[in-house]
Amino acid sequence: MAAMWRVLGAGATTIATVASALALQVPAAGAQPAQPQPSPPGLGPAGTATVHGDAASTDTMPGRGPGVNPAIVSGLTGATCSTVFIGSDDMPVALCTSYIGMNPPTPAAPTVKLFHPDTAEVLAEVQLAKGALLGGVYGYLDDRDRVVVADGNRRLLAVGHERTPEGPWRMTVEVLADLSAAVPEGDAITGLMPAFDGRVVRDVGWRGGNRPNRRWWRWRKF
């Protein structure tokens, strides 16, 4: 049975909720189903591989909803998990950010967490170098169930998960590319998305200095 994940942030504590898809919600009269958006090569499952549903950021998902009386389980992560992915193996993986202090809340280094799909227990996690935008939350899930994200060291990473020979889960980190030649010191990569020509589209923001605050798009093939 498929599962749908919700992440609710409450200060420094996040409740990760799994709602089993028990029934379809009744659509409004006359409502038409959304048309599926094409996926670029390398992107993971439709609807659960990006923070906004697909490469076009439509915030829509294929498949059934949780129904009107879903079974719910939750777990405390100690962080706000702004982006939750579900890969072809049905294992939920999230990009999560903890906070230091509350006035103002200061994001700490992000972590990638692997959850049990039935209990919401954190099975494994790995911390990344702090980047921009809540420490780095706009990545995507690739077609190998890896979280592709840029860290604060200006590296393009693929964070996967696997079982150890002893049985427990562990996270794996592969450096796909060193982006420091294209992203100057002091700049930050705020988002990633695979492009239809096989490249990766990066949203890069300038921070501080004498440069105006703005964003622009660049491409790098790996």
Side-chain angles (χ1 to χ4, degrees), residues 131-152:
L133 194 59
L134 303 181
V137 296
Y138 278 105
Y140 66 89
L141 198 72
D142 70 6
D143 54 3
R144 295 168 58 186
D145 296 330
R146 304 179 303 175
V147 177
V148 180
V149 64
D151 71 357

Side-chain angles (χ1 to χ4, degrees), residues 5-6 14-18 72-78 81 84-85 90-94 96 112-125 161 163 167-171:
W5 275 69
R6 280 187 311 175
T14 297
I15 301 176
T17 304
V18 183
I72 296 175
V73 293
S74 62
L76 299 179
T77 68
C81 298
V84 181
F85 310 107
D90 292 329
M91 298 294 290
V93 187
C96 304
V112 179
K113 299 178 185 286
L114 175 70
F115 294 90
H116 192 289
D118 298 321
T119 66
E121 175 190 0
V122 177
L123 300 175
E125 60 186 313
H161 52 274
R163 277 190 179 270
W169 290 88
R170 65 185 174 194
M171 309 303 292

